[in-house]
Amino acid sequence: METVSETRAFGGVQGVYKHTSEATSCEMTFAVYLPPDAEEGPVPCLWYLSGLTCTHENAMTKAGAQGWAADYGVALIFPDTSPRGEGVANDESYDLGQGAGFYVDATETPWAPHFRMYSYLTEELQTLVTGNFPIAADRQGITGHSMGGHGALTLGINRPDLYRSISAFSPIAHPSASDWGRKQLTAYLGADEAKWADHDAALLLKSRGCTAEILVDQGAEDEFLPLLRADALTSALVASGTPHCYRYQPGYDHSYFFVSSFMEDHVAWHAERL
Amino acid sequence: METVSETRAFGGVQGVYKHTSEATSCEMTFAVYLPPDAEEGPVPCLWYLSGLTCTHENAMTKAGAQGWAADYGVALIFPDTSPRGEGVANDESYDLGQGAGFYVDATETPWAPHFRMYSYLTEELQTLVTGNFPIAADRQGITGHSMGGHGALTLGINRPDLYRSISAFSPIAHPSASDWGRKQLTAYLGADEAKWADHDAALLLKSRGCTAEILVDQGAEDEFLPLLRADALTSALVASGTPHCYRYQPGYDHSYFFVSSFMEDHVAWHAERL
């Protein structure tokens, strides 16, 4: 692991790091924010998964999370959204390939060799981060925005042993039944839809429920609302009896102005549960 | 004036607007954040002037100011840093021409026709903003970062009738004696250094002082410290008897992580005085 930069922020340290990943067979960049409390011992952490076209950098610079993380004594982890580089498969569209990993382990050509974001996040980066930073491995929460909200929900529901609290901002909630999902799951996992179910929050909730509480914020004026399938998420949350708080926020769109407006609530919500 | 976008943020509205400027003879873009309080009547405002290479957008997306502006009931105005466009003079270097207006009215070729940021901000945009938004014209403060800190200090000291409170993040404080200044003031105002004095905060303080209180935050690990001439600013503040608070912040660099770390203090400081 190599340090790209470390910058003081809100009394803590915003770092950017890179390493050669075994899971994705390429160099990966990620960011970690350590609050001042981390100088005195391990702190809980919140994973933030980003959306389509993003890198580790978008939320790190635009979500305004570090100030709240400092206040609440929580570390933040900002991974990239896909493998990257010259030897890594890609697609001309913004919503497939590099910048659009969808947090799955691809099984299909040409994606399978590198697009293994599920294993990368739940195993390799998990071990790397908890092993190299003062982070309490048993006090982890996960959140994300849009495609990253999809990632937060699916990783969170699939791995209750890792993530004790789950939240999401305007998540892609039912990718099996959306143009933000069907194309990508077909490309990465193949045409057999049965293989998609473990990576669809609405289906996961219905099939196995979720014991962790889930917080979701959704902008009512979100320009991508039909693609997110918020309707499927709310009905699955209720049908599965999942303890949750779903907030439909009047006037807000899909942007980082929406994310940053409610970031304090999410950091506080995770901090309470961690 | 044309609305480019209006987005809900922290219960208020983050807008981006453009207009054809008489002062700079080109199309100018600027952003205004209105806090929720602005729905009930005019609110005080804080001008934020940005640094080299920036547009209206950098601070709008990275400084984390809107949340505090909503809390304290203050509007934010984010102007661009120079005229722009195909017909506007430019230079290959990052620190002269477009993105580097230095908040002066140029008198020299080829800059004079468009590079009139001082008049643009203190007259034209001043009138446009106070006339079109619920902003109290007699309750304005000014701040900025780096070259924008230079702008905040020089505009604030030159126009006490407009700006009742002044602050700056890591300002260029003595451009007449720095490589961030001599080159640009020569290009825009000519070789006669006497004409630079009205646009040099350290010289302005010594020659006329400042009755408004000034708040300055400076990162102790700022990689551009020698170019900013912080030493000249602190000695001029003391020598002129200007009421001020100068904070030299250990560990912080020149980045927006530094700016955002202390943004709440600046918004609160202006709100108290407005």
Side-chain angles (χ1 to χ4, degrees):
Chain A
M1 190 179 82
E2 184 185 332
T3 300
V4 177
S5 65
E6 290 188 326
T7 309
R8 185 150 294 271
F10 296 94
V13 177
Q14 178 61 65
V16 177
Y17 309 93
K18 60 184 180 182
H19 68 119
T20 302
S21 163
E22 285 183 25
T24 65
S25 302
C26 67
E27 186 170 82
M28 299 292 292
T29 302
F30 66 97
V32 174
Y33 176 71
L34 291 179
D37 286 1
E39 287 172 23
E40 285 147 41
V43 292
C45 78
L46 177 59
W47 293 75
Y48 182 99
L49 306 188
S50 273
L52 289 166
T53 76
C54 291
T55 68
H56 67 283
E57 197 180 357
N58 300 63
M60 179 180 83
T61 57
K62 298 198 297 183
Q66 290 91 349
W68 306 120
D71 285 354
Y72 290 96
V74 174
L76 302 169
I77 307 166
F78 303 101
D80 203 344
T81 56
S82 78
R84 292 181 194 274
E86 281 192 16
V88 176
N90 203 1
D91 189 273
E92 284 186 2
S93 59
Y94 75 98
D95 60 359
L96 185 67
Q98 297 186 31
F102 265 78
Y103 304 106
V104 301
D105 286 348
T107 54
E108 304 301 297
T109 306
W111 312 106
H114 298 286
F115 282 74
R116 299 177 49 78
M117 289 301 289
Y118 183 85
S119 292
Y120 172 68
L121 291 175
T122 57
E123 295 171 21
E124 187 177 14
L125 190 58
Q126 174 70 222
T127 306
L128 189 74
V129 163
T130 55
N132 286 279
F133 297 92
I135 285 172
D138 59 343
R139 299 169 70 196
Q140 299 185 60
I142 191 164
T143 188
H145 174 230
S146 196
M147 178 184 75
H150 149 74
L153 293 172
T154 53
L155 268 62
I157 298 167
N158 278 313
R159 293 297 302 268
D161 56 316
L162 287 179
Y163 311 107
R164 282 170 48 181
S165 53
I166 305 170
S167 77
F169 298 87
S170 40
I172 297 176
H174 190 22
S176 305
S178 165
D179 286 343
W180 271 357
R182 293 189 61 82
K183 168 184 167 184
Q184 294 84 353
L185 296 176
T186 303
Y188 296 142
L189 303 177
D192 177 4
E193 296 192 22
K195 295 182 178 159
W196 302 357
D198 281 349
H199 302 283
D200 182 305
L203 298 180
L204 274 173
L205 283 170
K206 280 187 187 161
S207 66
R208 67 179 78 169
C210 178
T211 51
E213 273 180 272
I214 297 178
L215 169 66
V216 177
D217 271 312
Q218 173 63 55
E221 304 300 324
D222 191 321
E223 57 273 39
F224 301 110
L225 210 43
L227 290 166
L228 303 173
R229 293 299 308 272
D231 56 324
L233 181 59
T234 52
S235 65
L237 284 166
V238 171
S240 61
T242 302
H244 71 276
C245 173
Y246 188 94
R247 310 192 302 183
Y248 201 68
Q249 305 280 10
Y252 286 88
D253 67 10
H254 198 69
S255 70
Y256 266 93
F257 292 120
F258 160 67
V259 173
S260 61
S261 292
F262 299 103
M263 182 55 78
E264 181 183 9
D265 294 351
H266 283 245
V267 173
W269 191 88
H270 285 276
E272 251 178 55
R273 286 156 181 80
L274 296 172
Chain B
M1 191 180 81
E2 184 187 329
T3 301
V4 177
S5 64
E6 291 189 325
T7 308
R8 187 150 293 271
F10 296 95
V13 177
Q14 178 61 64
V16 178
Y17 310 92
K18 61 183 180 183
H19 68 119
T20 302
S21 163
E22 285 183 25
T24 65
S25 302
C26 67
E27 186 169 82
M28 298 292 291
T29 303
F30 65 97
V32 174
Y33 175 72
L34 290 178
D37 286 1
E39 287 173 21
E40 286 148 37
V43 293
C45 78
L46 178 59
W47 293 75
Y48 182 99
L49 306 188
S50 274
L52 289 165
T53 76
C54 290
T55 68
H56 68 283
E57 196 180 358
N58 300 63
M60 179 181 85
T61 56
K62 297 197 296 184
Q66 290 91 349
W68 306 119
D71 285 354
Y72 291 97
V74 174
L76 302 169
I77 307 167
F78 303 100
D80 203 344
T81 56
S82 79
R84 292 180 194 275
E86 280 192 18
V88 176
N90 204 1
D91 188 272
E92 285 186 2
S93 59
Y94 76 98
D95 60 359
L96 185 67
Q98 297 186 31
F102 264 77
Y103 305 105
V104 301
D105 286 350
T107 55
E108 304 303 297
T109 306
W111 311 106
H114 298 285
F115 282 74
R116 299 177 50 78
M117 289 301 289
Y118 183 83
S119 293
Y120 172 67
L121 291 175
T122 57
E123 295 171 20
E124 186 176 14
L125 190 57
Q126 174 70 222
T127 306
L128 189 74
V129 162
T130 54
N132 286 278
F133 297 91
I135 286 172
D138 60 344
R139 299 169 70 196
Q140 301 185 58
I142 191 164
T143 187
H145 174 231
S146 196
M147 178 185 74
H150 149 75
L153 292 173
T154 54
L155 268 63
I157 298 167
N158 279 312
R159 292 299 302 269
D161 55 316
L162 287 179
Y163 311 106
R164 283 171 47 182
S165 53
I166 306 170
S167 77
F169 299 88
S170 40
I172 298 176
H174 190 21
S176 305
S178 166
D179 286 343
W180 270 357
R182 293 189 62 81
K183 168 185 169 182
Q184 295 84 355
L185 296 176
T186 304
Y188 296 143
L189 303 178
D192 177 4
E193 295 191 23
K195 294 181 177 160
W196 302 356
D198 282 349
H199 302 282
D200 181 305
L203 298 180
L204 274 173
L205 283 170
K206 281 188 185 159
S207 67
R208 68 179 76 169
C210 178
T211 51
E213 273 180 273
I214 297 178
L215 169 66
V216 177
D217 272 312
Q218 173 63 57
E221 303 301 324
D222 191 320
E223 58 273 39
F224 301 110
L225 209 43
L227 290 166
L228 302 173
R229 294 298 309 270
D231 56 324
L233 180 60
T234 52
S235 65
L237 284 165
V238 170
S240 61
T242 302
H244 72 275
C245 173
Y246 188 94
R247 309 192 302 184
Y248 202 68
Q249 304 281 11
Y252 287 88
D253 66 10
H254 198 70
S255 70
Y256 267 93
F257 292 119
F258 160 67
V259 174
S260 61
S261 293
F262 300 103
M263 183 54 79
E264 180 182 11
D265 295 351
H266 284 246
V267 173
W269 191 88
H270 285 275
E272 251 178 53
R273 284 154 183 83
L274 296 173

